[in-house]
Amino acid sequence: MGYETQGFKLDDSGRRIVVDPVTRIEGHMRCEVNVDENNVIRNAVSTGTMWRGLEVILKGRDPRDAWAFVERICGVCTGCHALTSVRAVEDALGIEIPKNAHLIRDIMAKVLQVHDHAVHFYHLHALDWVDVVSALKADPKATSDLQHLVSPSHPMSSPGYFRDIQNRLKKFVESGQLGPFMNGYWGNKAYVLPPEANLMAVTHYLEALDLQKEWVKIHTIFGGKNPHPNYLVGGVPCAINIDGDGAAGAPINMERLNFVKARIDEIIEFNKNVYIPDVLAIGTIYKAHGWLYGGGISGTEVLDYGTYEKVSYDHSTQQLPGGAIINGNWDEIHEVDPRDPEQVQEFVAHSWYQYADENRGLHPWDGVTEPNYVLGAKAKGTRTNIEQIDESAKYSWIKSPRWRGHAMEVGPLARYILSYSHALKGHKYCQRVKEQVDYSAMMINSGIPKALALPETQYTVKQLLPTTIGRTLARALESQYCGEMMLDDWHELVDNIRNGDRSTANVDKWDPRTWPKECKGVGTVAAPRGGLGHWIRIKDGRIENYQCVVPTTWNGSPRDTKGQIGAFEASLMNTPMANPEEPVEILRTLHSFDPCLACSTHVMSPDGQELSRVKVR
Amino acid sequence: METFYEVMRRQGITRRSFMKFCSLTATSLGLGPAFVPQIASAMENKPRTPVLWLHGLECTCCSESFIRSAHPLAKDVVLSMISLDYDDTLMAAAGHQAEAILEEIMTKYKGNYILAVEGNPPLNQDGMSCIIGGRPFIDQLRHVAKDAKAIISWGSCASWGCVQAAKPNPTRATPVHKVITDKPIIKVPGCPPIAEVMTGVITYMLTFDRIPELDRQGRPKMFYSQRIHDKCYRRPHFDAGQFVESWDDEGARKGYCLYKVGCKGPTSYNACSTVQWNEGTSFPIKAGHGCIGCSEDGFWDKGSFYDRLTDIHQFGIEANADRVGATAAGAVGAAVVAHAAASALKRAADSRKASETTDA
Amino acid sequence: MSTELSVAAADATGVDETAVDHGQSVKSVYVYEAPVRIWHWINMLAILVLCVTGYFIGSPLPTQPGEASANFLMGYIRFAHFAAGYIFAIGMIARIYWAVVGNHHARELFSVPIFTAAYWREVWSMVKWYSFLSARPNRYVGHNPLARFAMFFVFVLTSLFMIVTGFALYGEGLGMGSWADKLFGWVIPLFGQSQDVHTFHHLGMWFLVCFIIFHVYAAVREDIMGRQSIVSTMVSGYRTFKD
């Protein structure tokens, strides 16, 4: 009934628990686990439950329009698919963008990181750690003390402030209309924060909700709107005019740049005063209760393409350098080449697609996909009313990408493990990552325990990072780092303009008549949820083939031909549940990946007709 | 419990104007002044309207936009104005605890809850390309729509179909109004809609207790009755004939009209140039990129976003009207010339024949 | 007496009996009443203006230098288009009115006797004439049957299409609730959206251009090769038969 893979012993003999829908994620997902007699998870199955067929839709379109289509893959990580797309097209056509465009795009990408990470932590993830109802029992004075302790410089910390929030919450709860908090798992033993920490977190839930809308205004300045700002093949559409004729009417002038700067300053403040302290405090308390589960394959198999070049087009200057770590050896970082047909490959043995030879994986440039929605023999229910998935057969709309045959985890944690390892080897541009990680480890081991009178610990970075807490922490650290880098970018942008460079777009190859008859390209981006790649083939000025391999495809992938499980499934293994009726722990660990299902489920086929052919077994 | 009245008070509406509002409501409902106190008391004690927010095939950009609302703040909408009882993006519960909420609200507030739909149902594959709780999303949508008071179709997915419905629409993604035909549907298109437009529609419905006036396509007139072009701050440059001819040229740096680089402002109904985006910070045209027409039906299939004259697909050809027309006119011209030449030859031959006849 | 001699004599004397004899054989009929003729030429001017300005609305002229406040090029082009559009539409209404009250030739544009076999025989004979298969066409007082077919199915229907789509688009500028929106606003959702209406309105212009090429050519050719006057008829109103 079970087998061993990647160091996990899968056993599906215990009680089966189904969570569908998994909420507080982007898109639609289902999760099934088996728990043993001690309510410990011994088998995990994650199913992507939607697909939209965007790559079919892209065929035959103008490559310059592609960014807008793929941007609509996801409205949460909005813009990252657009950026990947324009990079892929520029790579195919051999377009180099001006420095200003590079900087503006980087600022936009980092704003997305900050926004996405904070909204994820406070509005999608926090309720896995924070018991809202318990916050009603908190003493506002003690909450204020706690706030001073974990974040001395945060201005909004008076007892009166917390009392107001608590009163509002009380009124809300007493109304009997709990809205989004209805049927939550309040009081579950899996919640271990004291009432004061809960009230502090709920307060920041609301603070972050008010502030996040400010940060994205940077996208609005450069891209006109958010969600879904505008991009441009060859550069950025926002022309710069600082002191010339008509600067008042220019998309980017001094006032606009100052506006951006003000938002960057707010971002840095929020990360420093609220986000980082909250994550460290919550992480420390959960660690004190022994909750270091959820690592999965993050300590052993991680991947990222690398990003944030200090010097445009010079990969050696990446401030979050990429690569692949396999078999848990952090000392050896393998180079990742998205063009190499032997490296990134997608498998469909357990996905609702079919290949001629399903034992083989296909590189995205050669990707062929035909949908094949079938349920396994052991599945329970009917084809349109699934009660239980059969994971020995096809069971997800997500494909299984593998790097040289390995299931990999991607995301902020993967990037932080990679950059930390690079930094240890002396990489010049990512030392800040090591600083952040070492500081956090110190705070979690001793700094915060001392202040909160909790026992001190001696965990190493290699023990702390590959956990659910570590995944959540890496996201916060990345947010902080991005805020800081953004400020550097802003100064560099202003310097560059001062030096007389106002160019924002390279239009030499705007006209399709200047393009080669056939070409192909790849674009990669460090998306909030991990390494994202788009592969494009262009023929006669039109898209011949388009393929995206997105972060949640890596993390949420079903089993492959060798039976290897994906990162989601691995991370749930061996986690004890306080009450299997209430999937708090499952949600906590799944959410720590920030799943994005609209991103991960995509399909491509030679023609649209094929797609309606579905077999039932 | 914060009632409707308290919310209005907190937002700076005086008791006096509240009573005035109640008497106006009474008049508009055709009730006499005797009913004013009754209405006032109902308003003062009315529970918050439950909103069930379902997600089909979508990208969550509508939810993301919604939480960006500055006036009213998204948190005030959720905590004090409506009761957002189901929304898979924000709700604490998951799995069967989440599904149980739907049943509870549907029973308790039968005919009195608002159904908000983000995304749309796919019909191919028996609807199984969007699965909720092991079943097709279309089932959930039909089920919840049954007892709803009204339906809000958020964004272009729910209103028109949007990107997954672009040709060839592999999942047969279908807008809400084509599958639910017996309920009032308010379309709030855009990809996504502007945050303040979304909360504006909700607060209008709560404040006036009625559906906003809709245009012939079901969009609230208050936000969708004018084209972006009609209120665009670059309009003087359009009228003057001053255009951005290519990216990052002098015109781009002076904020000239983006018409020639494909701006769809002249054909798009939305409030971008008036309300603007993200608390009035900017909007696409102001940031230098033309409008792509994201609030319009089928905007994905109208040719390149960078073409003024877009391609015609209806006859299976990929060319714009000018190319088709000029080709046709050229062909007609050539045919005419050829015919004229033939006619001239014939005439010459005829007259030669005629003169030969006369001579003979 | 040979012809050359008599011409020479006539030139000298002014006496030309042959011409007088011949002159009696020229028959003419009053076909197009004044309103029809006036409409035709005003309509021609309106269409000319509409096509030229319409083209430049779709593909504007190069950017104008100077301040926006000092220029109004697109504004003037659009004004001319709208003004000509009004003239075109009102002209069409007046013409339809005249079809009711005018002579029977005035109705030829608006009806085609497609259920009459005799009509189709004449169409066929015209087709043969244009295909150089018959040596001599018949004589027609009003429009020849083929012309009548083209007038109705190409010119009149396209014109109506252009008026309806044109005012639907014009109504977008006037705003919701305007007369144009109330009368023609339904057209926009019918096509999908405004951009589609623009595209087909533009295509309609090219359709008319093609029609005009045919129309002018056929009129001139008939004048030369046919048995009756064409171009001058639209000036004087009289159809003159050459034999």
Side-chain angles (χ1 to χ4, degrees):
Chain A
M1 278 289 118
Y3 62 95
E4 263 193 68
T5 176
Q6 300 140 287
F8 299 100
K9 216 170 154 286
L10 301 180
D11 176 4
D12 63 356
S13 59
R15 185 175 156 205
R16 187 84 154 195
I17 291 161
V18 178
V19 187
D20 185 2
V22 172
T23 53
R24 278 181 284 128
I25 59 166
E26 198 296 321
H28 302 290
M29 177 181 169
R30 176 187 182 97
C31 180
E32 299 187 10
V33 299
N34 291 90
V35 293
D36 66 13
E37 61 280 8
N38 299 318
N39 293 336
V40 176
I41 297 173
R42 296 302 182 196
N43 178 38
V45 181
S46 88
T47 300
T49 51
M50 70 187 283
W51 63 269
R52 298 194 293 159
L54 275 179
E55 287 144 315
V56 187
I57 291 165
L58 275 168
K59 275 175 171 256
R61 305 213 180 231
D62 189 328
R64 296 170 302 176
D65 290 342
W67 67 262
F69 286 80
V70 294
E71 186 171 49
R72 270 70 183 180
I73 286 176
C74 181
V76 177
C77 53
T78 178
C80 66
H81 284 280
L83 175 58
T84 320
S85 175
V86 293
R87 281 186 180 168
V89 175
E90 286 157 5
D91 181 54
L93 300 174
I95 299 172
E96 276 209 7
I97 63 165
K99 187 175 181 186
N100 289 332
H102 171 77
L103 289 165
I104 288 171
R105 283 182 182 181
D106 258 25
I107 292 175
M108 289 175 77
K110 287 161 192 164
V111 170
L112 171 67
Q113 295 276 35
V114 170
H115 178 270
D116 202 321
H117 288 353
V119 167
H120 170 260
F121 178 67
Y122 286 100
H123 307 116
L124 305 181
H125 197 20
L127 300 181
D128 303 324
W129 307 96
V130 175
D131 184 336
V132 177
V133 176
S134 147
L136 296 172
K137 295 193 290 247
D139 170 17
K141 175 73 181 61
T143 311
S144 168
D145 292 344
L146 176 69
Q147 176 75 80
H148 279 294
L149 216 59
V150 300
S151 174
S153 51
H154 188 42
M156 288 148 94
S157 60
S158 72
Y161 174 63
F162 287 112
R163 187 170 297 115
D164 280 354
I165 301 275
Q166 197 182 32
N167 283 340
R168 188 163 185 196
L169 190 64
K170 216 170 253 169
K171 242 176 158 180
F172 181 78
V173 172
E174 281 164 6
S175 77
Q177 291 185 289
L178 284 180
F181 305 126
M182 198 169 169
N183 278 13
Y185 308 110
W186 318 125
N188 186 300
K189 287 199 168 43
Y191 290 115
V192 301
L193 297 184
E196 284 71 26
N198 282 321
L199 178 57
M200 183 177 83
V202 169
T203 305
H204 295 163
Y205 179 108
L206 298 175
E207 263 176 44
L209 193 54
D210 287 353
L211 284 172
Q212 50 86 24
K213 72 175 198 310
E214 301 300 316
W215 311 330
V216 296
K217 287 177 182 169
I218 296 177
H219 277 189
T220 319
I221 297 289
F222 293 128
K225 69 200 259 269
N226 176 285
H228 296 333
N230 292 315
Y231 280 78
L232 184 73
V233 167
V236 287
C238 51
I240 298 171
N241 193 346
I242 292 294
D243 47 14
D245 195 12
I252 302 303
N253 54 31
M254 207 59 228
E255 180 270 334
R256 300 270 97 176
L257 286 173
N258 288 340
F259 186 102
V260 169
K261 170 74 163 46
R263 301 288 87 73
I264 295 174
D265 292 343
E266 284 170 12
I267 286 170
I268 291 172
E269 282 297 294
F270 176 84
N271 282 329
K272 187 180 86 173
N273 291 336
V274 186
Y275 191 6
I276 297 285
D278 279 356
V279 172
L280 287 175
I282 290 173
T284 305
I285 297 170
Y286 272 85
K287 178 217 64 176
H289 285 79
W291 217 84
L292 286 172
Y293 301 105
I297 55 171
S298 61
T300 51
E301 263 85 21
V302 290
L303 172 138
D304 195 76
Y305 302 109
T307 189
Y308 304 140
E309 286 103 8
K310 197 77 191 151
V311 180
S312 348
Y313 298 106
D314 181 354
H315 292 308
S316 69
T317 64
Q318 285 174 340
Q319 295 167 90
L320 274 175
I325 285 176
I326 48 173
N327 304 323
N329 183 5
W330 290 23
D331 296 330
E332 192 186 358
I333 303 166
H334 303 267
E335 208 171 304
V336 172
D337 179 4
R339 293 163 196 279
D340 184 348
E342 297 304 313
Q343 295 195 14
V344 177
Q345 293 184 332
E346 290 194 299
F347 294 82
V348 296
H350 291 270
S351 313
W352 284 319
Y353 307 104
Q354 61 188 16
Y355 282 178
D357 176 4
E358 296 201 352
N359 289 316
R360 284 188 56 227
L362 294 177
H363 183 263
W365 265 332
D366 307 310
V368 206
T369 314
E370 282 179 40
N372 183 19
Y373 175 63
V374 290
L375 295 173
K378 282 183 280 170
K380 292 183 186 156
T382 66
R383 152 186 172 69
T384 55
N385 192 357
I386 305 167
E387 284 160 25
Q388 187 179 315
I389 286 290
D390 174 8
E391 67 270 25
S392 66
K394 293 182 182 289
Y395 67 94
S396 180
W397 282 116
I398 304 180
K399 289 203 224 166
S400 304
R402 296 292 183 258
W403 185 77
R404 292 197 190 278
H406 294 264
M408 309 296 279
E409 175 167 333
V410 298
L413 177 57
R415 284 195 283 264
Y416 262 61
I417 288 175
L418 284 161
S419 289
Y420 186 77
S421 305
H422 273 293
L424 286 177
K425 291 157 85 81
H427 195 292
K428 239 169 61 186
Y429 293 90
C430 62
Q431 289 298 320
R432 176 69 180 132
V433 169
K434 186 172 172 297
E435 235 175 81
Q436 285 181 299
V437 170
D438 289 341
Y439 168 80
S440 307
M442 183 274 288
M443 289 302 279
I444 290 176
N445 275 325
S446 57
I448 300 174
K450 259 186 222 160
L452 300 182
L454 293 167
E456 292 183 38
T457 52
Q458 302 288 326
Y459 290 114
T460 62
V461 166
K462 218 173 163 175
Q463 287 171 309
L464 276 179
L465 276 188
T467 59
T468 294
I469 291 172
R471 214 171 273 120
T472 302
L473 173 67
R475 189 169 287 112
L477 296 179
E478 190 172 72
S479 173
Q480 183 186 35
Y481 188 28
C482 282
E484 295 163 1
M485 284 190 283
M486 222 188 289
L487 189 60
D488 294 345
D489 292 341
W490 185 89
H491 283 296
E492 219 176 314
L493 177 64
V494 171
D495 280 351
N496 197 44
I497 296 169
R498 190 172 50 222
N499 293 339
D501 179 3
R502 292 192 195 165
S503 162
T504 52
N506 173 357
V507 293
D508 293 349
K509 290 195 179 150
W510 178 255
D511 189 339
R513 281 170 298 192
T514 62
W515 300 352
K517 194 174 154 43
E518 266 185 83
C519 53
K520 59 182 182 178
V522 57
T524 63
V525 160
R529 288 160 187 79
L532 166 65
H534 286 192
W535 285 257
I536 188 174
R537 277 178 192 270
I538 299 170
K539 194 178 173 186
D540 299 326
R542 298 274 161 176
I543 296 171
E544 194 200 10
N545 208 339
Y546 203 101
Q547 182 81 16
C548 324
V549 179
V550 312
T552 304
T553 318
W554 287 99
N555 290 335
S557 71
R559 288 145 165 83
D560 57 24
T561 39
K562 287 190 271 178
Q564 294 187 96
I565 53 178
F568 283 0
E569 293 174 348
S571 67
L572 293 172
M573 291 299 295
N574 306 324
T575 304
M577 294 182 73
N579 172 8
E581 284 302 311
E582 302 188 334
V584 184
E585 296 89 346
I586 294 176
L587 293 174
R588 184 183 292 157
T589 291
L590 285 179
H591 285 155
S592 75
F593 287 93
D594 193 1
C596 178
L597 271 292
C599 289
S600 60
T601 48
H602 51 267
V603 60
M604 185 196 64
S605 126
D607 61 79
Q609 292 308 309
E610 277 295 316
L611 297 173
S612 51
R613 186 157 59 79
V614 172
K615 285 183 197 142
V616 200
R617 207 195 292 162
Chain B
M1 172 170 77
E2 194 165 28
T3 64
F4 197 78
Y5 170 63
E6 285 168 309
V7 175
M8 286 178 94
R9 283 306 297 266
R10 204 161 46 72
Q11 298 201 328
I13 293 160
T14 60
R15 175 86 198 160
R16 202 183 145 84
S17 21
F18 172 71
M19 291 311 289
K20 208 167 148 190
F21 166 73
C22 290
S23 67
L24 266 176
T25 309
T27 319
S28 70
L29 292 173
L31 304 169
F35 286 88
V36 174
Q38 243 170 288
I39 288 172
S41 130
M43 293 286 213
E44 280 166 334
N45 301 301
K46 198 166 89 174
R48 285 174 284 125
T49 304
V51 174
L52 303 178
W53 187 316
L54 302 185
H55 295 248
L57 287 186
E58 40 85 312
C59 76
T60 317
C61 71
C62 300
S63 290
E64 282 283 342
S65 186
F66 179 76
I67 63 168
R68 314 253 196 287
S69 176
H71 39 263
L73 286 167
K75 80 172 177 205
D76 287 339
V77 176
V78 173
L79 293 180
S80 312
M81 295 184 183
I82 60 169
S83 188
L84 186 59
D85 293 319
Y86 185 101
D87 178 354
D88 15 333
T89 308
L90 290 174
M91 66 197 302
H96 61 88
Q97 286 96 347
E99 297 310 281
I101 294 172
L102 287 179
E103 301 308 318
E104 188 185 330
I105 299 298
M106 284 179 65
T107 321
K108 209 163 147 192
Y109 294 92
K110 191 172 176 176
N112 283 313
Y113 61 87
I114 291 174
L115 166 60
V117 188
E118 178 173 353
N120 51 29
L123 302 184
N124 277 354
Q125 290 83 33
D126 290 342
M128 289 302 270
S129 28
C130 187
I131 310 172
I132 318 276
R135 296 170 55 210
F137 170 64
I138 178 82
D139 286 5
Q140 189 191 39
L141 176 65
R142 286 209 175 104
H143 179 61
V144 181
K146 194 172 50 143
D147 293 324
K149 183 182 184 179
I151 297 174
I152 302 178
S153 284
W154 285 140
S156 292
C157 287
S159 299
W160 312 124
C162 206
V163 69
Q164 60 267 19
K167 288 186 178 78
N169 191 356
T171 59
R172 224 169 109 218
T174 310
V176 173
H177 66 274
K178 292 203 175 147
V179 289
I180 309 289
T181 47
D182 57 348
K183 293 281 170 187
I185 294 177
I186 303 136
K187 293 188 190 123
V188 187
C191 187
I194 299 169
E196 285 79 13
V197 165
M198 298 176 80
T199 50
V201 168
I202 288 184
T203 45
Y204 178 94
M205 289 170 70
L206 297 176
T207 314
F208 295 94
D209 200 19
R210 63 171 182 240
I211 286 172
E213 200 183 338
L214 305 177
D215 72 357
R216 52 168 79 74
Q217 294 182 76
R219 302 170 293 192
K221 279 187 179 173
M222 56 183 165
F223 295 117
Y224 293 93
S225 61
Q226 277 198 305
R227 295 168 301 175
I228 287 164
H229 189 59
D230 295 322
K231 289 278 187 284
C232 183
Y233 80 109
R234 295 193 181 192
R235 181 63 187 264
H237 292 296
F238 170 82
D239 288 332
Q242 297 177 316
F243 304 100
V244 173
E245 306 275 349
S246 95
W247 302 108
D248 200 25
D249 68 358
E250 268 317 295
R253 291 178 188 173
K254 285 179 179 169
Y256 283 179
C257 177
L258 293 157
Y259 187 78
K260 277 189 173 178
V261 284
C263 180
K264 301 293 180 289
T267 55
S268 301
Y269 289 82
N270 206 339
C272 300
S273 54
T274 48
V275 175
Q276 300 200 19
W277 280 82
N278 307 93
E279 209 173 354
T281 303
S282 187
F283 70 108
I285 293 164
K286 194 169 171 184
H289 194 287
C291 163
I292 65 169
C294 74
S295 55
E296 288 296 313
D297 193 357
F299 73 100
W300 297 105
D301 293 321
K302 305 300 167 204
S304 172
F305 299 124
Y306 303 103
D307 287 339
R308 171 73 247 135
L309 306 168
T310 52
D311 289 355
I312 298 159
H313 299 279
Q314 279 75 0
F315 313 125
I317 36 175
E318 290 279 337
N320 67 36
D322 266 2
R323 254 168 286 155
V324 172
T327 311
V332 168
V336 160
V337 168
H339 198 267
S343 302
L345 286 175
K346 182 169 188 286
R347 187 174 155 80
D350 284 354
S351 69
R352 206 165 36 245
K353 221 188 291 171
S355 67
E356 277 162 16
T357 323
T358 333
D359 286 352
Chain C
M1 193 164 40
S2 77
T3 321
E4 285 91 327
L5 277 177
S6 72
V7 169
D11 277 353
T13 62
V15 179
D16 188 350
E17 288 303 324
T18 333
V20 173
D21 290 348
H22 186 68
Q24 283 166 345
S25 76
V26 175
K27 291 167 237 146
S28 64
V29 185
Y30 189 57
V31 182
Y32 298 131
E33 295 153 297
V36 172
R37 279 147 36 217
I38 294 168
W39 170 78
H40 176 273
W41 295 110
I42 288 178
N43 206 34
M44 181 205 81
L45 286 175
I47 291 173
L48 188 70
V49 171
L50 282 166
C51 288
V52 172
T53 55
Y55 181 82
F56 285 119
I57 290 171
S59 310
L61 292 159
T63 288
Q64 298 301 298
E67 284 300 317
S69 52
N71 289 285
F72 200 62
L73 184 63
M74 271 302 263
Y76 289 128
I77 289 176
R78 293 173 73 244
F79 173 78
H81 192 78
F82 300 148
Y86 267 115
I87 291 169
F88 182 62
I90 292 167
M92 184 57 79
I93 293 168
R95 183 63 184 78
I96 290 169
Y97 167 77
W98 197 255
V100 178
V101 301
N103 67 18
H104 70 101
H105 295 298
R107 281 188 276 287
E108 283 164 4
L109 252 57
F110 301 97
S111 71
V112 179
I114 50 170
F115 298 113
T116 314
Y119 170 77
W120 289 108
R121 268 197 301 280
E122 288 305 314
V123 169
W124 180 238
S125 94
M126 277 312 286
V127 168
K128 280 200 293 190
W129 160 239
Y130 278 112
S131 318
F132 309 108
L133 293 175
S134 70
R136 231 165 99 95
N138 288 334
R139 292 190 294 191
Y140 302 103
V141 177
H143 287 90
N144 76 54
L146 195 61
R148 192 166 168 182
F149 190 86
M151 277 292 169
F152 180 76
F153 286 104
V154 183
F155 175 73
V156 173
L157 291 189
T158 309
S159 296
L160 290 176
F161 174 84
M162 294 303 273
I163 289 169
V164 169
T165 52
F167 278 105
L169 295 172
Y170 185 63
E172 294 194 293
L174 289 185
M176 274 189 195
S178 63
W179 71 267
D181 172 62
K182 280 186 185 143
L183 241 56
F184 301 108
W186 53 271
V187 171
I188 287 160
L190 189 73
F191 275 79
Q193 53 141 295
S194 176
Q195 182 73 19
D196 296 300
V197 185
H198 277 268
T199 300
F200 282 97
H201 188 70
H202 206 89
L203 199 63
M205 182 263 291
W206 284 107
F207 215 56
L208 278 183
V209 167
C210 292
F211 168 81
I212 290 164
I213 297 173
F214 265 132
H215 173 69
V216 172
Y217 169 68
V220 172
R221 184 183 188 270
E222 278 310 289
D223 238 16
I224 299 169
M225 296 181 61
R227 297 167 69 189
Q228 62 269 309
S229 71
I230 302 286
V231 181
S232 61
T233 312
M234 209 26 102
V235 178
S236 67
Y238 286 93
R239 177 81 76 220
T240 313
F241 294 92
K242 300 179 200 164
D243 51 17

